[in-house]
Amino acid sequence: MTALLITVDTELSSSLHQRGVSLTDNVSRSIWAEAKGEGHGIGWQMDMLERHGLKGVFFLDPMPALVHGADFLAPIVKAIESRGHEVQMHIHTEWLAWAKEPPVGGRQGRNIGDFSLDDQITLLSLAKMLLEQAGAPSITAFRAGNFGANDDTLRALAAIGVAWDSSVNPAYLGRECGITADPAQIGAQRMQGVVELPVSGIHDRPGHFRPAQICAMSAAEMRAGLRHAVREGHDAFTVVTHSFEMLSRDRQRPNAMVKARFVALCREAARMPQVRGVGFRDLSPAMADDSPPSQSRVSPSRIRTGLRLAQQAWATWRYEHRLVPA
């Protein structure tokens, strides 16, 4: 069986906050992704997952609580956990710029990896506490905002008892992601006291990795990646999306193409008996002991890549340049 982890980075927008958008509106636009009187965010995503017998992992960022207080977290946690999905930990340290009581002496950074080991332990401990106080079961997994972790992040997670990390995205290695990881490593591996489960993906052209993110990969590419993982006996296939990703970039209208990709992934997974939709709490750390050093990814296809580029161009004009009325 191949474990399918459909992970949703669930977060408020620091840029909307900086532009003066209220907490209520930020939650509406960023978490529930409300536009045109309907929700296209985590509620819609859970509907689609449940319709196809799947589970979602919602990496929830509690850092805006440093600015707005923590009351906004509990309804989000309850909405996710009450439906049988998972809340896990996410962190965007950009919010420290507006913190009423700075937890690390006023030090700031765009990414968690910008901080010392001691500061990372403080920040991650705080984030874990905020989520658990909001009603989340014991946090067992983490993903860094912007994939901006480093090796000290893994050490900090081990120090606070978080067993899993999913901050390695080969497209970000050597950039935002400073974890010392082999970009060819697909499966789980033990690193700095935790089990690292990287974001999955394909080669869309020779030597170029494209992550399994809903807005970045066509339905055909995602299908090819998932089928390849099953055929090759991979332990897991890890997909990324965001709570607001089904909207246009200005969050004013739904993006029907991205929504269709999410539905297509759910349908494909539901009809594959070798795939099971899981969360991190369903996985055993022993997975890392059985994972080979490296595994193959889907080979490039000019046709698949060309079709995706054409789809992206059309969707950009239609949903980003307002050919669809706001």
Side-chain angles (χ1 to χ4, degrees), residues 164-187:
W164 293 86
D165 179 72
S166 188
S167 300
V168 169
N169 180 336
Y172 287 74
L173 285 174
R175 298 165 46 207
E176 289 89 344
C177 186
I179 295 174
T180 307
D182 179 356
Q185 175 63 28
I186 291 174

Side-chain angles (χ1 to χ4, degrees), residues 208-278:
H208 184 265
F209 175 85
R210 192 155 193 88
Q213 182 167 343
I214 299 295
C215 72
M217 193 181 283
S218 71
E221 289 172 318
M222 190 73 77
R223 181 168 56 249
L226 183 57
R227 289 180 177 179
H228 177 83
V230 170
R231 187 168 59 249
E232 297 296 314
H234 295 180
D235 288 332
F237 190 80
T238 304
V239 177
V240 180
T241 187
H242 290 80
S243 50
F244 50 80
E245 198 163 301
M246 308 298 131
L247 296 181
S248 57
R249 290 187 185 92
D250 63 7
R251 303 189 191 179
Q252 295 297 312
R253 61 192 65 76
N255 186 321
M257 185 193 73
V258 178
K259 293 182 72 175
R261 288 176 176 180
F262 190 92
V263 173
L265 169 63
C266 293
R267 287 176 177 165
E268 181 68 17
R271 58 174 163 247
M272 297 180 72
Q274 311 95 321
V275 170
R276 62 188 182 107
V278 302

Side-chain angles (χ1 to χ4, degrees), residues 1-7 48-58 83-86 197 226 230 234-239 262 265-283 287:
M1 297 289 287
T2 296
L4 173 63
L5 292 102
I6 299 177
T7 67
M48 293 303 105
L49 292 167
E50 291 161 18
R51 187 174 298 176
H52 295 89
L54 300 169
K55 177 184 282 192
V57 177
F58 293 82
R83 295 177 64 165
H85 303 281
E86 264 190 25
L197 188 62
L226 183 57
V230 170
H234 295 180
D235 288 332
F237 190 80
T238 304
V239 177
F262 190 92
L265 169 63
C266 293
R267 287 176 177 165
E268 181 68 17
R271 58 174 163 247
M272 297 180 72
Q274 311 95 321
V275 170
R276 62 188 182 107
V278 302
F280 285 90
R281 295 199 290 264
D282 302 310
L283 299 178
M287 176 188 291

Side-chain angles (χ1 to χ4, degrees), residues 13 44 87 95 155 186 204 276:
S13 168
W44 180 86
V87 170
W95 288 93
R155 296 183 184 101
I186 291 174
D204 65 337
R276 62 188 182 107

